[in-house]
Amino acid sequence: MVLTNSRDPYASSFNLSDYLQERRRQVEVALDQALPVIYPETIYEAMRYSLMAGGKRLRPILCLATCELAGGTIEMAMPTACALEMVHTMSLIHDDLPAMDNDDYRRGRLTNHKVYGDGVAILAGDALLTYAFEYIACHTRGVPAERILAVVSDLGKAVGAAGLVGGQYVDLASEGDPDISLDTLDFIHTHKTAALLGVSVTSGAILAGASDTDIEHLSRYAQRIGLAFQIVDDVLDITATAEELGKSVGKDLRAKKATYPSFWGIEESRQQAQRLVNEAKAELQNFGELRQPLEAIANYITTRTY
Amino acid sequence: MVLTNSRDPYASSFNLSDYLQERRRQVEVALDQALPVIYPETIYEAMRYSLMAGGKRLRPILCLATCELAGGTIEMAMPTACALEMVHTMSLIHDDLPAMDNDDYRRGRLTNHKVYGDGVAILAGDALLTYAFEYIACHTRGVPAERILAVVSDLGKAVGAAGLVGGQYVDLASEGDPDISLDTLDFIHTHKTAALLGVSVTSGAILAGASDTDIEHLSRYAQRIGLAFQIVDDVLDITATAEELGKSVGKDLRAKKATYPSFWGIEESRQQAQRLVNEAKAELQNFGELRQPLEAIANYITTRTY
């Protein structure tokens, strides 16, 4: 399913860069307010060190966008948006630990455990993961409790052994094995990356009370941009500069890690990503003007350089 | 507030040992069913290794007991009961890691990371923590969604930086410092131990729709047995044998760790624990016959030898 040039009448009026900048600003303010520093300060500071370290805030922005798309408000989705970033941050903190990927830098800064030590980094991740669920349950306003529970449940599925953590485990178990199958590589990325992106997209719509059909379309959109995002990530690890990425490049090659380019080469990988992005956009065709951010984000995935 | 001998007419008819054995059996069956092993098997096996390693199942049993006390059923509370044990198990797995307490044995068996490695142990803990919230949200039946959300929220508060994890952090930061204040020691234990016991007690009552007044009484009961439990733990670390405890003894002394006996001595510690248990039981006086398990559990805390 490929979307041909649709000559969208709204396309010219939508500025993704301005949109992302404004939404990112709103998310930063909400995250900052969500996590004040109290006694014992160090654990909160460690949580904030990684949570407030910038980043694209793509997951919260997707959640806010689909809530608006389905007729809801920014306010209804903001606690869930913050929770998604808390969970994402937890996964980065734990993934960077010496017992896992053993990374010293992240987003151009020292990783959490390099600043606070391994023990505090483990606890800061645990606290962020816990706070994510608490924050949705405790702070979501103007949404029926059944929908909030559905979001808690879906977030759990996306993050636990059947989702992100399961993907991290297979990634860890495959370390140093360049001979893993394409199926295994797909498993890693559909779980480690696409599952959380998926619930980022669907949770906003669920909070707004979207129909099951709409949620299915959005779920397929999310799966496709999630995988495309990872393919592009693998390509950029080879083609981008360290300055652009804010982290080490060529790391996958040095670690003899299987990547999409190692199966398909760079050019075919780019084409596969583009095909997925086109399929993702096709899922949006029955939504109205408010689909623009999701379309533009899909386009951005294949054109980004960091 | 001290409860004098109340000559409880029901006391003679209640057999705590039989009660605990039956409840523990029910909890074991529910936990076993909650966590089947699927691909990728190792992460589920690591989760089950620690989750199914026995233990008193005190937290789930307290939750089931207060749900019945407040007019609810075992079935209403069982998903939350399982979740409490998942969270407790997560805290043990992460606490045993080399970056934290560095323990090789737990409940007489090798700790999780000694069997599966540090990376898998971190992920197994993350997965159990996540699954706890998902399991409550997804599997609780016959309870209004608002109450389930309240339990998710309360569990989050009890486990995160404002609860268990905050207590673990202060414990970690105080390691090797025998000069911490009694206030700091209280902070560690009210957060590391009593907070989760607190939500174990209150969540069952919340699910059953108990009044705020009843929940307050149960909350005070829980705080007191939580602290008493820790004081007795500290005493047993000095007085019990390794065989009785199923773990190393004298560890606190060797680690120069501040404990209640190091402030009060063993005899005064025992008296403080007894005073707390009496206060805890006084909070139950307006409940009916179904308070028996809670009373007996409070009594058991000061008489246990392991």
Side-chain angles (χ1 to χ4, degrees), chain B residues 31-65:
Chain B
L31 286 173
D32 187 46
Q33 289 172 347
L35 197 59
V37 174
I38 57 173
Y39 178 83
E41 288 80 5
T42 307
I43 187 74
Y44 292 95
E45 286 163 5
M47 292 164 78
R48 287 183 62 93
Y49 176 81
S50 296
L51 187 64
M52 305 309 294
K56 293 181 276 292
R57 310 302 192 189
L58 185 59
R59 290 156 193 81
I61 292 171
L62 284 168
C63 173
L64 299 175

Side-chain angles (χ1 to χ4, degrees), chain B residues 228-240:
Chain B
F229 189 85
Q230 187 58 51
I231 295 172
V232 172
D233 237 30
D234 284 358
V235 170
L236 289 175
D237 184 73
I238 299 170
T239 61

Side-chain angles (χ1 to χ4, degrees), chain A residues 165-175 184-185 187-188, chain B residues 39-40 123:
Chain A
V165 170
Q168 281 184 310
Y169 164 71
V170 177
D171 193 21
L172 184 69
S174 310
E175 207 180 62
T184 303
L185 191 67
F187 182 92
I188 292 171
Chain B
Y39 178 83
L123 292 175

Side-chain angles (χ1 to χ4, degrees), chain A residues 42 94 126 134 156-157 169, chain B residues 42 94 126 130 134 156-157 169:
Chain A
T42 306
H94 283 189
D126 293 347
E134 176 191 339
K157 284 177 192 136
Y169 164 71
Chain B
T42 307
H94 282 189
D126 292 348
T130 303
E134 175 190 339
K157 284 178 192 136
Y169 165 71

Side-chain angles (χ1 to χ4, degrees), chain B residues 9 34 41 97 104 157 170 179 197 205 214 217 226 236 241 247 251 257 262 270 276 279 283:
Chain B
E41 288 80 5
L97 286 165
D104 291 353
K157 284 178 192 136
V170 176
D179 296 327
L197 282 172
D214 281 355
H217 280 297
L236 289 175
T241 67
K247 61 181 180 184
K251 194 165 184 276
K257 205 163 175 173
S262 68
R270 283 183 171 139
L276 287 164
E279 287 180 5
E283 297 290 342

Side-chain angles (χ1 to χ4, degrees), chain B residues 3-219:
Chain B
L3 190 75
T4 54
N5 272 335
S6 61
R7 297 185 214 288
D8 187 327
Y10 308 108
S12 58
S13 65
F14 182 78
N15 186 316
L16 179 64
S17 175
D18 289 352
Y19 175 85
L20 292 178
Q21 191 176 349
E22 171 59 11
R23 283 287 177 273
R24 195 156 45 218
R25 191 193 61 73
Q26 291 172 298
V27 170
E28 298 281 345
V29 169
L31 286 173
D32 187 46
Q33 289 172 347
L35 197 59
V37 174
I38 57 173
Y39 178 83
E41 288 80 5
T42 307
I43 187 74
Y44 292 95
E45 286 163 5
M47 292 164 78
R48 287 183 62 93
Y49 176 81
S50 296
L51 187 64
M52 305 309 294
K56 293 181 276 292
R57 310 302 192 189
L58 185 59
R59 290 156 193 81
I61 292 171
L62 284 168
C63 173
L64 299 175
T66 62
C67 188
E68 287 196 298
L69 178 70
T73 63
I74 294 286
E75 290 69 31
M76 290 163 75
M78 191 57 94
T80 298
C82 289
L84 290 160
E85 194 68 11
M86 292 172 196
V87 166
H88 175 56
T89 303
M90 172 286 294
S91 77
L92 300 181
I93 295 173
H94 282 189
D95 212 30
D96 286 338
L97 286 165
M100 309 275 287
D101 273 3
N102 195 20
D103 273 308
D104 291 353
Y105 289 91
R106 163 78 65 184
R107 293 172 180 164
R109 309 200 309 161
L110 284 172
T111 44
N112 200 288
H113 67 274
K114 295 300 286 182
V115 177
Y116 295 97
D118 294 4
V120 174
I122 293 168
L123 292 175
D126 292 348
L128 282 168
L129 178 55
T130 303
Y131 198 43
F133 291 103
E134 175 190 339
Y135 204 69
I136 295 171
C138 201
H139 292 277
T140 305
R141 298 280 175 274
V143 178
E146 287 78 8
R147 291 186 203 159
I148 306 174
L149 267 189
V151 167
V152 168
S153 179
D154 284 0
L155 180 62
K157 284 178 192 136
V159 175
L164 192 155
V165 171
Q168 281 184 309
Y169 165 71
V170 176
D171 194 20
L172 183 69
S174 309
E175 206 179 64
D177 176 7
D179 296 327
I180 64 168
S181 67
L182 188 56
D183 279 349
T184 303
L185 190 68
D186 274 340
F187 182 93
I188 292 171
H189 296 311
T190 53
H191 290 73
K192 193 172 166 170
T193 308
L196 189 60
L197 282 172
V199 75
S200 302
V201 166
T202 54
S203 59
I206 289 171
L207 290 167
S211 70
D212 288 350
T213 308
D214 281 355
I215 290 168
E216 278 162 32
H217 280 297
L218 290 171
S219 178

Side-chain angles (χ1 to χ4, degrees), chain A residues 12 121 144 168 218 224 261 267 286:
Chain A
S12 58
Q168 281 184 310
L218 291 171
R224 279 152 185 78
E267 199 41 47
N286 291 328

